């Protein structure tokens, strides 16, 4: 049987009163998914922890950030000639 949003809010309040904030967070995220239009079963099964598994071979600080990928036809701009920088034109 599907739980309504009011039932979930009561469960969330009970979890918060019992100082089980992790469970209260899970229920809050489930309520938000249901209000956003998700199916109740899909909302119950959704992983809302916000943590993503690290890919194998990518270890260390900052490796979870995505790297920008330029378009295939993009070429880097030509570097300026260092001999002509900061010279007055006469």
């Amino acid at each position: 049987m599907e739980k309504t949003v009011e039932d979930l809010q009561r469960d969330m309040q009970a979890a918060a009163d019992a100082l089980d904030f992790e469970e209260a967070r899970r229920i809050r995220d489930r309520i938000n998914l249901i209000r956003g239009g998700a199916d109740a079963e899909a909302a119950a099964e959704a992983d809302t922890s916000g943590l993503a598994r690290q890919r194998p071979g990518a270890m260390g600080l900052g490796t979870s950030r995505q790297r920008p990928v330029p378009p295939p036809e993009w070429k880097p701009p030509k570097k300026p000639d260092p001999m002509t920088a900061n010279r007055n034109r006469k």
Side-chain angles (χ1 to χ4, degrees):
M1 181 173 172
E2 296 180 11
K3 287 192 172 189
T4 63
V5 173
E6 292 80 22
D7 293 336
L8 289 172
Q9 285 178 338
R10 277 189 239 111
D11 292 346
M12 180 178 65
Q13 186 61 41
D17 291 341
L19 301 179
D20 188 4
F21 298 115
E22 291 294 321
E23 182 63 24
R25 179 195 55 82
R26 281 188 211 97
I27 296 171
R28 179 203 63 205
D29 293 342
R30 187 172 166 188
I31 291 170
N32 288 338
L33 286 171
I34 291 172
R35 285 183 178 163
D39 184 20
E41 291 178 11
E45 296 174 5
D47 179 24
T48 58
S49 65
L51 299 176
R53 291 193 176 269
Q54 204 169 24
R55 293 185 311 261
M59 304 198 59
L61 295 174
T63 56
S64 61
R65 283 195 264 160
Q66 295 180 353
R67 293 184 183 148
V69 178
E73 65 275 355
W74 182 80
K75 293 180 183 174
K78 185 178 175 184
K79 292 185 179 181
D81 185 12
M83 298 300 289
T84 59
N86 297 327
R87 292 183 55 122
N88 293 334
R89 295 183 185 199
K90 293 184 181 181

